[in-house]
Amino acid sequence: MEVGGLDSDGHEFRNADEMWREHAGDQHLKTQWYHDGVAYWQGVEASVDGVLGGFGRVNEPDIKGSESFLNALFAERFQSNRHLVALDCGSGIGRIAKNLLIKVFNEVDLLEPVPHFLDAARESLAPGNHIVSDMHKATNFYCIPLQEFTPNAARYDVIWVQWCIGHLTDDDFISFFKRAKIGLKPGGFFVLKENVARSGFVLDKEDRSITRSDLYFKELFSRCGLHLYKSKDQKGLPEGLFAVRMYALTTDMPKKIHKTRSKVQVNRPCIIK
């Protein structure tokens, strides 16, 4: 990625390659990058306010926006009698699984590298909880980092990736999606929902994450061999946060590319998970 960016201290980089060389340019630096990222979240309270960086009020508009986006995709991609299975990547405490995915999918698997977050999710989604039934349940809880996970072949209708892909280096971003493709059923797709920088990228040195621009994301999608099926901006978030965009990605070339307009927003950096 040739467009420049900056870090949370205001240090400027000529391009992403320069930034990655400095922070993850060899195996030692990369190991430290991932260690520091997990360590940051290990110090965060296992609550909605905790995983949303003190912005618990984001939960309701976030879920509503995701539900609307997912419903539109379902109407176009799936038949009503399909047994639906989802993977929630970077699931945290199970916020998205509980409030959205388990209401739509028959089975939901959760992937989260922070143990106390996953413990909270397991408790929240346990059998006997009123939101869980034999027809809609959390099935597997994987305490594995995203960059090390490979799904079972053809298990998932949707692989949901939200507010976690910024912790992956570009190489591991590409590697993850290439591996994860095998986990999709025919007709299945990825949903990536992420903070979006106005241009280039913004590195958060505290939690070891990068916020990429829309152009940056699209370049990586191409390198993953993924096709943009549909995208949409998240509405209703508080002022002062990064813009948030939802991407539906397929392994097959869409017959029709759905284009949506996005309004450029001026935001100060604030990473939320």
Side-chain angles (χ1 to χ4, degrees):
M1 184 67 192
E2 291 304 318
V3 178
L6 69 159
D7 66 21
S8 48
D9 292 333
H11 175 72
E12 295 185 359
F13 299 93
R14 289 173 296 177
N15 52 52
D17 287 342
E18 180 184 59
M19 185 276 294
W20 287 124
R21 282 195 301 271
E22 180 175 325
H23 290 277
D26 58 38
Q27 191 55 50
H28 173 73
L29 287 172
K30 181 182 278 193
T31 298
Q32 192 65 45
W33 168 275
Y34 287 122
H35 174 272
D36 291 348
V38 171
Y40 171 86
W41 290 107
Q42 285 175 334
V44 171
E45 179 184 80
S47 66
V48 171
D49 205 47
V51 298
L52 291 178
F55 289 88
R57 63 189 184 278
V58 163
N59 182 62
E60 184 175 352
D62 168 57
I63 295 297
K64 286 183 178 179
S66 296
E67 183 178 26
S68 175
F69 189 63
L70 192 57
N71 285 342
L73 293 166
F74 268 36
E76 298 168 3
R77 302 282 300 184
F78 295 150
Q79 295 179 347
S80 60
N81 60 349
R82 184 164 172 154
H83 181 86
L84 297 168
V85 184
L87 174 65
D88 182 5
C89 297
S91 62
I93 61 172
R95 180 184 68 88
I96 298 165
K98 177 180 179 179
N99 293 303
L100 174 63
L101 300 180
I102 207 165
K103 298 177 181 180
V104 178
F105 294 87
N106 302 106
E107 297 181 65
V108 179
D109 292 345
L110 287 79
L111 176 66
E112 170 57 49
V114 179
H116 75 289
F117 284 175
L118 201 61
D119 289 342
R122 188 179 285 110
E123 181 178 351
S124 177
L125 296 165
N129 190 308
H130 69 279
I131 66 165
V132 179
S133 70
D134 290 339
M135 296 299 295
H136 295 271
K137 60 186 179 182
T139 305
N140 297 301
F141 297 82
Y142 300 111
C143 193
I144 303 173
L146 201 63
Q147 70 274 12
E148 298 177 11
F149 181 75
T150 300
N152 292 330
R155 171 160 174 76
Y156 301 110
D157 298 277
V158 173
I159 296 179
W160 191 277
V161 186
Q162 180 169 348
W163 286 332
C164 61
I165 204 70
H167 288 288
L168 297 194
T169 65
D170 287 355
D171 288 347
D172 285 334
F173 181 115
I174 295 165
S175 178
F176 166 72
F177 277 106
K178 286 185 174 181
R179 292 194 314 276
K181 286 179 188 179
I182 70 167
L184 290 175
K185 297 178 186 177
F189 56 90
F190 295 98
V191 173
L192 176 68
K193 185 169 184 177
E194 267 298 340
N195 297 328
V196 178
R198 290 187 62 193
S199 64
F201 59 89
V202 178
L203 167 67
D204 189 316
K205 295 177 66 177
E206 184 179 17
D207 71 357
R208 288 296 191 265
S209 69
I210 178 175
T211 299
R212 299 170 169 98
S213 67
D214 180 68
L215 182 63
Y216 197 155
F217 274 123
K218 288 175 178 175
E219 180 175 319
L220 290 179
F221 297 157
S222 178
R223 292 168 64 187
C224 293
L226 295 173
H227 303 283
L228 180 60
Y229 180 79
K230 182 178 289 190
S231 63
K232 186 178 182 181
D233 291 331
Q234 170 69 48
K235 304 297 184 183
L237 298 184
E239 294 292 328
L241 300 181
F242 279 116
V244 174
R245 194 163 179 81
M246 295 171 276
Y247 301 92
L249 304 164
T250 61
T251 59
D252 57 308
M253 178 71 76
K255 294 179 181 179
K256 180 180 179 181
I257 302 288
H258 297 263
K259 295 183 178 180
T260 52
R261 293 182 179 179
S262 61
K263 296 180 179 179
V264 175
Q265 299 183 25
V266 178
N267 298 303
R268 65 175 178 83
C270 186
I271 307 296
I272 54 179
K273 176 180 171 69

